[in-house]
Every structure is written in C-alpha cells, then in structure tokens.
Amino acid sequence: MTLKNNTEALRSGDRIALAKTISQIEDQTEEGRQVLSALFPYTGQAHMIGITGSPGTGKSTLTARLAREFRNPSVDIQPQRVGILAVDPTSPFSGGAVLGDRVRMRDLAGDEGVYIRSMASRGALGGLSAATDSVAALLDAVGYDVILIETVGAGQDDVEIVRLAHTTIVVAAPDQGDDIQAIKAGILEIADILVLNKADLPGVDRAERALCSALELAGTHRTFNDGSGHHREQAIELHDSRPGWRPPLIKTIALSGEGTVELHQSIAAHRQYLVDGKLWDAKNAARLTSMLEKQLREHLYQNWQNRVDQKAYKRALKSVLSYRVSPYQAAIDLLKQPE
Amino acid sequence: MPEDKIRVLMSKPGLDGHDRGAKVITRALRDAGMEVIYTGLRYTPEMIVEAAVQEDVDVIGLSILSGAHMSLVPRVLQLLKEARLDKIIVFVGGIIPDEDIPELKKSGVSAVYGPGTSTQTVVKDVRELVGSPSA
Ligand SMILES: Nc1nc2c(ncn2[C@@H]2O[C@H](COP(=O)(O)OP(=O)(O)OP(=O)(O)O)[C@@H](O)[C@H]2O)c(=O)[nH]1
Ligand SMILES: [Mg+2]
C-alpha cells in the first residue's frame, strides 16, 4: 500500500490498516515513521490518561470501566472514542511476553468506538515500551478522543507515563498490604488522581487513612523541605508544576462499577484545570520537546556510527579495555575524529 | 533496534471453564520468544476476530474442551475470511475426536492438538507455519 493510500485508510477509520501500522511503529520500521510524519499535523487533540499502580490492583478492570463511562457518559456530553494501550512486561530471558490485560476488557467487545491494543515493553524500562508514545500519537491522529494507557505496573518504576499522559491515575488496593507503604514513598508524587480500588474488601478504611495522610504529606512537602531527602525534592518539583491541584482520593469497586462516575468527573476536572492554567499546552510542549530530543540523540548516534573510522573505533576500545584511556576520554577523542 | 515478533492470540471460545491447557500453551509460546495475547474465557468467534484484527496477530490458538468445536472453529475461519484476514494461521487444541480433524483442516485449520501434545511440538509448528504462511 502506498503511503498516501495508507494514511487515507487510517484517517477513514480502517482498523486493519491501523493495526498493521501500529505493528510497523512497534517494529520501528521506516514505513511506520513515514506514516507518523504524514499524520503528525492531526495529533495534539486527544486526552492522554495514564493508569498505573502495583500488579493486581485492578488497573485493567478499572480501565474497561472508564472506557465504558467515556463511551456512555452518565452526564450530558458527547460519547468519546476511546483507544486503550495496555503494556505488559517482556521477559528478559526469552524476549516473549504474555499480554493478559484483555481478559478484563471483554465487555468492550463489539464497540466500534473502542480500540484495544496490548503492547509488550520490549526491554524498555519505566513502565511503557519505546513505541508507546508514538502509537498513542497515531491513535490521536486517527480520531480517538481519549487514550487510556495502562502501564506495566511494576510499582515505583513506572514514571515514564508522567511524560506521556496529561492525567496520571495511580491505582492502589487494600489487599496490597505493605505496598501501601511503598506508595507513600514513591509513586504517589506522580498521581494527579489517586484511586483506592477494591473498596469492597476488608481493610479499606485503614488503607484509605494511610493514603490520605500520605496525600496530606505530599501536599505540605514544601513547608518542611530541608533539602535532605531525594524523594522529597522530587515531590516538590512535581508539586510546584501543578499549583492549585490537590490530587483527590477516589474509592472504586471496578468489579461492580461503583465509583466510576466520580472518577470520570475527576478526570474531566483535571482536564479543565490543565486547560484553564495553560498547563495542557505546556504538557504537550514538554512531550514534543522530549520526542524531538530523543530523535536527535538517535540520529546523531546513527550518523556518527555510519561515518566513524572502524579501525579508530577498535583502537579506542582496545585502549579502554586495557585501562590506558578512560571511556570518558575515548569518547571525546572519537568524536573529534576528522570526517 | 527493529524486531519482528510473532504475535499469537490465545483464546477460549465456548462455555467450558477450563483454561489450564490454554495457559500452558500461552507460557510455552512466551518462552519461545513470542508475544501472546491471552483473552481468557468465553470469547465468541466475533470477539476473537475483533481482537485478532486489533492486535495484528500472525496466529490464533483456540482451546476448546466443550465439544462445540465443529460450530465454533469454522465460524472463526469464516469471519476471518470475511475480514480478509485468512492469512492468519489458526490452530486448535483440546479434546477433538479424530474423525473431526479432516473437516476442521478443510475449513482452514492448520493444526489440531490433542491433550497429550508436547508444547515443543506446538512451538515448532507455529514457527514453521509463520515462516511459510502459505503452507
Ligand atoms: N474484590 C475486588 N476485586 C477486584 C476489583 N477490581 C479488580 N478486581 C480483581 O483483581 C484482580 C486483578 O485485576 P486486574 O484488573 O487484572 O488488575 P491489574 O492491575 O490490571 O493487574 P496487572 O495488569 O496484572 O498488574 C482480578 O481478579 C479482578 O477481578 C474490585 O473492585 N474488587
Ligand atoms: Mg492489567
């Protein structure tokens, strides 16, 4: 298929073309990049929403509930078209992956306004795959209004989502036990909205108190910052980037759907907050800036690799391996090679 | 670093609730380096084909113990054909009487595996079938 035919098919809602193009992007092919370039002017419309949190807290079940709420809003607004990207970890040993998030999204079947894609992390760290931002951009360009991105859910390392999403939802559950403590320390700082799911389980009150006090703490970091703690500094930085927003705590039972309407409203409120405070544009600008920089880094490296004198490279490597020249100095020398 | 992973949709159509076999195959294919989308139980043929479209899979594995294979499997293949996705390879695992196998194969199934099949056989077949999709 020619590029023009393909972009036309994509823009007119051809799902097979969409699925194939996503694979091209995941496989980092030249065709994939060309399509993304051609469709780039149509991006920048969608609300990107991240859903993160420890394994088994109910992210997928909640994502499906949220998708249904966006499709059939209980308030009087237009139904939104929903794209879902669900990332699961690639095994570092085999390179394979089990992508199981669809199990919880069965109820969305048959809805033409929903597109679900499971993605393997393919070695990327930080809870997403290297192609997740590009695939999200593609869904944006072909008219999905809301893009729900479920991260790997490894816990505190899932921080990449903050760069990609306008709104980040952190999901916790009462049966996480000590993990609630971990949330206090780490991932809480990235939450625009905190969800306590499985509110039907015993221990929900205790978990709620723990999360509430952690949220309070996160909100008052500024006053007792003495510059000593790493987490503390990070929290302040993020907190300062969203003045006037206090992350709400919302209790849900994803199994029954309880709390989904409140969560949906809270997401709408966060979107409004971003738009009113010009933070929506700022987030998009930050994302695009980091995408451009990533491309530059990759191309610069590729260019250098293409024209470096292989003999000089081998010599430099040898001198590093024999502890004569440091890797720091060797890199500088190699970059100084005449072209 | 570009790569081209084999993607497999493992699904359990029909009403029986035993997914052990499907899970064993899922893990074996994962361990062989494939990306396996697992759908869980009670998927209809329509849901399976919709998921196969969205996930751009090369292979669909169907695990059926309920005895309903003669209605479910041909329906999946027919829907694939209608979606012009008959390039996707379909294999079936479960309790399938020998006399049903020829007809399943005629409807487009590439391989049928009974309860005793080793996972290595499945992995090897899937690799070969994807390598030569016309086979
Ligand atoms: N009791 C109860 N169980 C729930 C609730 N929501 C989800 N579950 C169950 O929790 C388990 C995990 O749910 P998932 O939606 O797969 O959780 P997840 O966070 O996506 O899991 P991973 O993707 O594996 O990290 C499933 O057995 C769900 O049925 C809830 O509100 N209450
Ligand atoms: Mg999940």
Side-chain angles (χ1 to χ4, degrees), chain A residues 54-61 101 104 150 197-198 200-201 253-255:
Chain A
S54 298
T57 48
K59 295 181 294 297
S60 301
T61 317
D101 294 314
R104 313 280 168 217
E150 180 185 341
N197 187 39
K198 307 197 188 183
D200 54 318
L201 293 188
I253 305 173
L255 277 185

Tab-separated table of all heavy atoms in Angstrom, chain A residues 54-61 101 104 150 197-198 200-201 253-255, ligand 1:
chain	number	residue	atom	x	y	z
A	54	SER	N	0.543	-0.843	41.373
A	54	SER	CA	1.141	-2.165	41.555
A	54	SER	C	0.348	-3.264	40.846
A	54	SER	O	-0.828	-3.075	40.522
A	54	SER	CB	1.227	-2.492	43.049
A	54	SER	OG	2.055	-1.539	43.680
A	55	PRO	N	0.994	-4.402	40.618
A	55	PRO	CA	0.319	-5.518	39.945
A	55	PRO	C	-0.947	-5.941	40.687
A	55	PRO	O	-0.957	-5.985	41.918
A	55	PRO	CB	1.354	-6.643	39.987
A	55	PRO	CG	2.663	-5.974	40.180
A	55	PRO	CD	2.389	-4.706	40.928
A	56	GLY	N	-1.991	-6.228	39.928
A	56	GLY	CA	-3.187	-6.808	40.508
A	56	GLY	C	-4.091	-5.856	41.263
A	56	GLY	O	-5.046	-6.282	41.914
A	57	THR	N	-3.832	-4.564	41.194
A	57	THR	CA	-4.684	-3.630	41.929
A	57	THR	C	-6.005	-3.369	41.206
A	57	THR	O	-6.896	-2.735	41.767
A	57	THR	CB	-3.970	-2.280	42.148
A	57	THR	OG1	-3.401	-1.836	40.917
A	57	THR	CG2	-2.862	-2.419	43.181
A	58	GLY	N	-6.105	-3.849	39.979
A	58	GLY	CA	-7.363	-3.702	39.234
A	58	GLY	C	-7.285	-2.672	38.116
A	58	GLY	O	-8.321	-2.168	37.660
A	59	LYS	N	-6.090	-2.392	37.633
A	59	LYS	CA	-5.914	-1.384	36.580
A	59	LYS	C	-6.724	-1.712	35.321
A	59	LYS	O	-7.423	-0.851	34.784
A	59	LYS	CB	-4.426	-1.270	36.196
A	59	LYS	CG	-3.537	-0.758	37.315
A	59	LYS	CD	-2.089	-0.642	36.866
A	59	LYS	CE	-1.439	-1.981	36.541
A	59	LYS	NZ	-1.332	-2.897	37.686
A	60	SER	N	-6.639	-2.958	34.869
A	60	SER	CA	-7.327	-3.315	33.626
A	60	SER	C	-8.843	-3.274	33.802
A	60	SER	O	-9.568	-2.770	32.939
A	60	SER	CB	-6.920	-4.720	33.165
A	60	SER	OG	-5.538	-4.793	32.954
A	61	THR	N	-9.312	-3.811	34.912
A	61	THR	CA	-10.752	-3.808	35.174
A	61	THR	C	-11.261	-2.373	35.226
A	61	THR	O	-12.305	-2.034	34.646
A	61	THR	CB	-11.051	-4.519	36.516
A	61	THR	OG1	-10.263	-5.712	36.609
A	61	THR	CG2	-12.515	-4.884	36.634
A	101	ASP	N	-4.047	-8.289	29.639
A	101	ASP	CA	-4.968	-7.270	30.135
A	101	ASP	C	-6.351	-7.340	29.481
A	101	ASP	O	-7.347	-6.900	30.056
A	101	ASP	CB	-4.371	-5.876	29.928
A	101	ASP	CG	-3.117	-5.672	30.779
A	101	ASP	OD1	-3.161	-6.024	31.972
A	101	ASP	OD2	-2.106	-5.190	30.242
A	104	ARG	N	-9.719	-8.672	31.162
A	104	ARG	CA	-10.629	-7.829	31.958
A	104	ARG	C	-11.402	-6.838	31.096
A	104	ARG	O	-12.100	-5.985	31.619
A	104	ARG	CB	-9.838	-7.023	32.992
A	104	ARG	CG	-8.843	-7.816	33.767
A	104	ARG	CD	-9.488	-8.597	34.883
A	104	ARG	NE	-8.531	-9.557	35.413
A	104	ARG	CZ	-8.859	-10.771	35.824
A	104	ARG	NH1	-10.103	-11.179	35.769
A	104	ARG	NH2	-7.942	-11.586	36.285
A	150	GLU	N	-2.467	1.829	30.105
A	150	GLU	CA	-2.181	1.049	31.319
A	150	GLU	C	-0.711	0.654	31.306
A	150	GLU	O	-0.238	-0.010	30.388
A	150	GLU	CB	-3.063	-0.210	31.376
A	150	GLU	CG	-2.772	-1.031	32.641
A	150	GLU	CD	-3.528	-2.352	32.711
A	150	GLU	OE1	-4.547	-2.514	32.002
A	150	GLU	OE2	-3.086	-3.215	33.493
A	197	ASN	N	-8.975	1.231	44.774
A	197	ASN	CA	-9.890	0.257	44.178
A	197	ASN	C	-10.121	-0.906	45.145
A	197	ASN	O	-9.459	-0.990	46.168
A	197	ASN	CB	-9.303	-0.231	42.847
A	197	ASN	CG	-10.282	-1.114	42.081
A	197	ASN	OD1	-11.488	-0.853	42.068
A	197	ASN	ND2	-9.774	-2.156	41.442
A	198	LYS	N	-11.040	-1.769	44.785
A	198	LYS	CA	-11.416	-2.914	45.627
A	198	LYS	C	-11.941	-2.418	46.975
A	198	LYS	O	-11.602	-2.981	48.029
A	198	LYS	CB	-10.237	-3.877	45.836
A	198	LYS	CG	-9.573	-4.331	44.534
A	198	LYS	CD	-8.725	-5.563	44.716
A	198	LYS	CE	-7.929	-5.851	43.447
A	198	LYS	NZ	-7.129	-7.076	43.519
A	200	ASP	N	-14.545	-2.884	48.177
A	200	ASP	CA	-15.419	-3.899	48.778
A	200	ASP	C	-14.641	-4.806	49.733
A	200	ASP	O	-15.232	-5.561	50.495
A	200	ASP	CB	-16.058	-4.759	47.677
A	200	ASP	CG	-15.005	-5.364	46.724
A	200	ASP	OD1	-14.057	-4.628	46.351
A	200	ASP	OD2	-15.126	-6.552	46.383
A	201	LEU	N	-13.333	-4.728	49.707
A	201	LEU	CA	-12.529	-5.651	50.525
A	201	LEU	C	-12.320	-5.115	51.937
A	201	LEU	O	-12.343	-3.905	52.169
A	201	LEU	CB	-11.160	-5.874	49.876
A	201	LEU	CG	-11.118	-6.618	48.543
A	201	LEU	CD1	-9.671	-6.904	48.155
A	201	LEU	CD2	-11.908	-7.922	48.612
A	253	ILE	N	-15.039	0.379	43.138
A	253	ILE	CA	-15.121	-1.083	43.063
A	253	ILE	C	-15.225	-1.385	41.574
A	253	ILE	O	-16.309	-1.341	40.985
A	253	ILE	CB	-16.351	-1.636	43.828
A	253	ILE	CG1	-16.333	-1.134	45.276
A	253	ILE	CG2	-16.363	-3.155	43.779
A	253	ILE	CD1	-17.594	-1.488	46.065
A	254	ALA	N	-14.097	-1.645	40.958
A	254	ALA	CA	-14.089	-1.808	39.492
A	254	ALA	C	-14.940	-3.001	39.078
A	254	ALA	O	-15.520	-3.012	37.997
A	254	ALA	CB	-12.658	-1.967	38.992
A	255	LEU	N	-15.029	-3.999	39.942
A	255	LEU	CA	-15.817	-5.182	39.602
A	255	LEU	C	-17.280	-4.829	39.367
A	255	LEU	O	-17.908	-5.347	38.450
A	255	LEU	CB	-15.725	-6.219	40.726
A	255	LEU	CG	-14.512	-7.145	40.724
A	255	LEU	CD1	-14.654	-8.186	41.828
A	255	LEU	CD2	-14.340	-7.816	39.367
C	1	LIG	N1	-12.747	-7.586	45.130
C	1	LIG	C1	-12.417	-6.888	44.060
C	1	LIG	N2	-11.624	-7.436	43.124
C	1	LIG	C2	-11.301	-6.683	42.044
C	1	LIG	C3	-11.764	-5.371	41.866
C	1	LIG	N3	-11.261	-4.884	40.714
C	1	LIG	C4	-10.498	-5.866	40.187
C	1	LIG	N4	-10.538	-6.964	40.976
C	1	LIG	C5	-9.866	-8.252	40.755
C	1	LIG	O1	-8.475	-8.089	40.911
C	1	LIG	C6	-7.760	-8.957	40.030
C	1	LIG	C7	-6.766	-8.172	39.203
C	1	LIG	O2	-7.479	-7.281	38.364
C	1	LIG	P1	-6.812	-6.624	37.085
C	1	LIG	O3	-7.785	-5.644	36.533
C	1	LIG	O4	-6.314	-7.679	36.171
C	1	LIG	O5	-5.582	-5.887	37.764
C	1	LIG	P2	-4.311	-5.214	37.059
C	1	LIG	O6	-3.844	-4.149	37.976
C	1	LIG	O7	-4.663	-4.811	35.676
C	1	LIG	O8	-3.285	-6.414	37.019
C	1	LIG	P3	-1.904	-6.494	36.233
C	1	LIG	O9	-2.128	-5.905	34.862
C	1	LIG	O10	-1.604	-7.945	36.198
C	1	LIG	O11	-0.915	-5.707	37.041
C	1	LIG	C8	-8.821	-9.648	39.197
C	1	LIG	O12	-9.082	-10.911	39.753
C	1	LIG	C9	-10.021	-8.752	39.324
C	1	LIG	O13	-11.241	-9.417	39.164
C	1	LIG	C10	-12.640	-4.827	42.874
C	1	LIG	O14	-13.089	-3.675	42.806
C	1	LIG	N5	-12.904	-5.615	43.942
